[in-house]
Amino acid sequence: MGSLAGRTALVTGGSRGIGRGVAERLAREGALVAVHYGSNREAAEQVVKGIRADGGRAFAIGAELGVPGDAQALWAAFDAALAEHGEGATGLDILVNNAGIGAHGRIHEVTEADYDRVFAVNVKAPFFIVRQGLDRLRDGGRIINISSGATRIAFPAITAYSMTKGALDILTLTLAQDLGPRGITVNSVSPGIVATDINPWLADPDAHAEAAAYSVFGRVGRPSDIADVVAFVASDDARWITGQTLDATGGSSLGV
Ligand code: NAP
C-alpha cells in the first residue's frame, strides 16, 4: 500500500514535464490521478497508459486554461471523468496547480498581451480552480502550487513570469490561513531550472552548462527531483507544514 492509497489527486499540466513526473509519482504512491492537459491529449493519454501499465490508476482530462470559463470547464471534465473512471471515488484530496507557461523579456520588451496571457494561465486559472474546487476538496486535503526559484533569484529576462509566481506564493500563504481549520495544507514548491519543453534553449550546450552551474550540484533539475518533493508535501508526513514555499532548486544561487 502506497502512502497515498485511497486518495484522489488532480495534477494540472500533468501531460508533460514536471506535471507528468508528479502524476506518475503520486500514482506510484497509490493515488488515483487525474492527468490534466491543455491541448496535447495524446501526451496525457500516454501518461495514463504508462501509469496503468505500472499498476496505477489514472485518467486524462482536458481543459484549456487562461481563457474565460477555464476553471468551470476543468471541473466539469474532472467530475465527468471521475464518474466514468473513478470506480466510485468522489471528491478530491490533492490538487497540484502545476500548469504554467513562460514569458520572456525584460520589462521594456513585455507587451500588454504577453503580460495578460501569463497572468491568466499562471495566476488567474489556479485562483479560480481553487475557488471552484473547494467544495470538492476533502478536509485534510492538500493544495500544492508549483512556483519558481525566480521568486528568490532575480532574473530580469523573465520579469512578468516571476511576478506570476510571486502572486502564487501569496495565494499559498493566504489560503493556508483560510483553510487551516479544515486541516487542508497549502504549500508552494519552487523548482529551479528543470529540463522540460518550457526550456527549449537548454538544447544549446553552452546554455545548458550555464544553467547547470546555477545549482550547487552542478546539474539541471529533472522532473523527478520536483515530483519527489511534491509527493512528500502530499503525504501525511507533511501534515504540519502549511503556508510555506519549499525551495527545490538544487541549491541554485545560494551564495557567491
Ligand atoms: P511544460 O513541460 O511546458 O509542460 C506544461 C504543462 O502545462 C503541459 O502539461 C501543458 O499541457 C500544460 N499547459 C500549459 N499551458 C496550458 C494552458 N494554457 N492550458 C492548459 N494546460 C496548459 O512545463 P514544465 O516545465 O513542466 O512546467 C510546469 C510548471 O513548473 C509551470 O508552472 C512552470 O512555470 C513551473 N516551473 C518550471 C521550471 C522549469 O525550469 N521547467 C522552473 C520553475 C517552475 P499540454 O501538454 O496540453 O500543452
Side-chain angles (χ1 to χ4, degrees), residues 15-16 37-42 62-64:
S15 53
R16 292 185 289 118
Y37 64 92
S39 56
N40 198 337
R41 180 182 182 155
E42 177 60 28
E64 186 186 355

Side-chain angles (χ1 to χ4, degrees), residues 57-81:
R57 297 184 306 145
F59 55 84
I61 59 167
E64 186 186 355
L65 304 179
V67 295
D70 52 3
Q72 208 170 354
L74 178 137
W75 287 119
F78 174 82
D79 291 343

Side-chain angles (χ1 to χ4, degrees), residues 101-173:
I101 57 171
H104 287 275
R106 298 174 81 96
I107 188 163
H108 60 279
E109 295 165 326
V110 176
T111 66
E112 199 171 336
D114 293 340
Y115 180 97
D116 287 345
R117 174 75 182 149
V118 73
F119 270 81
V121 176
N122 291 8
V123 182
K124 187 175 178 185
F127 180 94
F128 284 96
I129 289 169
V130 170
R131 186 182 160 188
Q132 295 180 27
L134 280 179
D135 52 357
R136 293 170 177 83
L137 194 63
R138 266 185 280 283
D139 289 1
R142 301 277 186 267
I143 297 174
I144 302 168
N145 296 320
I146 304 302
S147 179
S148 168
T151 57
R152 172 173 65 79
I153 308 159
F155 285 103
I158 51 170
T159 302
Y161 169 82
S162 305
M163 289 170 65
T164 66
K165 298 303 187 177
L168 206 54
D169 286 350
I170 301 302
L171 178 64
T172 290
L173 179 69

